[in-house]
Amino acid sequence: MSQQTETAVLEYQLLPVGEAALMVEFGKGINPETNKKVKTLADYLDRQPLPGMLEYVSAYSSVTVFFNPAQVKQLCEEQFYQQTEPLAYEVLADLLVKVLSKLDNSVATVPRTVEIPVCYGGEFGPDLAYVAEHNNLTMEKVIEIHSQGQYLVYMIGFAPGFPYLGGMSEKIATPRRPSPRLEIPAGSVGIAGMQTGVYPITTPGGWQLIGRTPLPLFRPLAACPSLLQAGDIIRFRPISLAEYQEYEEARP
C-alpha cells in the first residue's frame, strides 16, 4: 500500500513494512531538504507519540514507525471505523495522514552545533598518510579540509551513537579498506568514500582512520545515550596529543 499526498507542505509515500511497521518515505535521495522533512516528522513524534507506537527509526529520507497492532486497533478502531474491521497499519496510516497534513516544513529550526575535538594522525590516525596520498595532498592539508567542514547528522545507526554525516569535501574522499579491521577503538574518526564518521564504541570496521576524539559519543548510563542526534551540525577541531591526554584525564 502506498499513498501520495496532494498537499505541497510535505510530499511522501506511506509503505507498510510487515504487520507492525509503517514507513513514511519523503524521497529517494540523500540531501538536506529531504532530511529536513524527516526531522520535522521525528520532532513531532517526540512531542506527541501516536497511539500504539512503540518507537520510530529515522533514516536519510524516511521515518519508520513501529507499533503494537492490537493496541492500535483497540485505541483507534471505534473512533475512526465503526462499520468496518481495518488492518492495524490502515488505522495507523490514517493517523499519519492527519499528522502529516498539518505539519509545516517551512518553519526554520536552529540546529544544534556540536564541536568534536580530534587528535589527527599518529597512532590515532594510521590511515591519514594513505588518504593524503590517494588524493595527492599532504597530511596537513587533509586535516585542514576535514576540520574546516560543517557536517549534518542525517541519522544515527550501524552502532549505538554512530552518526551518518553529510557534507564532506570530495577532495579527501577515499575508498574503504579492502579488508575491515577486526577492532577499531571507540572515538576513531574515519573516511569511507564521500562519508566521514566517528566510531562511538569499539567495533569492527573498514573505514580509513585519520584520527580519534576523546569525547564519548555513546554514554549508556545517560538519559540520552547518544551524544549526537539527527539534525545536529558537527564541526571537528584539531587538538594535540597533549590536549587529547588532558581530555582523557579530565573524564570521570
Side-chain angles (χ1 to χ4, degrees):
M1 186 266 303
S2 66
Q3 185 164 351
Q4 185 76 33
T5 61
E6 296 180 357
T7 176
V9 176
L10 285 178
E11 295 182 355
Y12 61 88
Q13 285 189 315
L14 294 181
L15 305 168
V17 183
E19 298 181 350
L22 192 63
M23 177 188 293
V24 185
E25 186 178 72
F26 294 104
K28 299 292 185 181
I30 301 174
N31 60 73
E33 283 304 310
T34 299
N35 195 252
K36 182 180 177 183
K37 299 173 185 177
V38 171
K39 187 71 166 55
T40 298
L41 176 57
D43 287 347
Y44 178 89
L45 295 176
D46 282 336
R47 297 190 305 270
Q48 301 184 51
L50 297 176
M53 186 180 84
L54 300 175
E55 64 174 336
Y56 72 85
V57 176
S58 298
Y60 282 116
S61 57
S62 66
V63 177
T64 301
V65 179
F66 294 84
F67 58 91
N68 182 318
Q71 189 176 7
V72 168
K73 292 190 68 175
Q74 179 181 352
L75 292 172
C76 305
E77 194 169 22
E78 291 185 3
Q79 182 177 356
F80 297 105
Y81 304 92
Q82 298 180 355
Q83 306 298 325
T84 61
E85 295 186 4
L87 298 173
Y89 79 81
E90 294 176 321
V91 177
L92 193 69
D94 275 0
L95 288 173
L96 279 168
V97 167
K98 290 179 171 60
V99 167
L100 290 161
S101 68
K102 61 184 180 182
L103 289 183
D104 185 357
N105 192 52
S106 66
V107 177
T109 58
V110 179
R112 182 180 66 148
T113 298
V114 180
E115 183 181 85
I116 297 181
V118 179
C119 182
Y120 289 94
E123 63 175 304
F124 295 156
D127 301 319
L128 179 60
Y130 175 76
V131 173
E133 179 183 1
H134 178 80
N135 291 285
N136 296 313
L137 299 170
T138 64
M139 290 189 288
E140 291 74 19
K141 191 64 177 178
V142 171
I143 295 171
E144 177 186 324
I145 293 172
H146 187 265
S147 61
Q148 287 184 351
Q150 182 169 284
Y151 304 92
L152 171 65
V153 179
Y154 277 91
M155 61 180 181
I156 303 296
F158 163 63
F162 186 94
Y164 282 83
L165 306 179
M168 192 185 77
S169 171
E170 62 181 11
K171 295 178 181 179
I172 55 175
T174 310
R176 294 170 180 263
R177 288 171 54 84
S179 59
R181 290 182 171 93
L182 297 180
E183 185 174 292
I184 291 179
S188 295
V189 178
I191 288 176
M194 278 291 296
Q195 287 187 300
T196 187
V198 186
Y199 286 86
I201 62 174
T202 300
T203 179
W207 291 35
Q208 307 286 353
L209 304 183
I210 62 172
R212 192 181 303 173
T213 179
L215 190 66
L217 267 64
F218 180 63
R219 308 152 301 167
L221 300 181
C224 183
S226 177
L227 173 67
L228 304 177
Q229 302 296 323
D232 287 346
I233 298 296
I234 305 303
R235 297 191 69 91
F236 295 106
R237 178 172 63 86
I239 60 174
S240 66
L241 178 58
E243 290 174 298
Y244 182 97
Q245 292 169 341
E246 288 176 6
Y247 271 98
E248 288 276 87
E249 293 170 358
R251 285 171 59 176

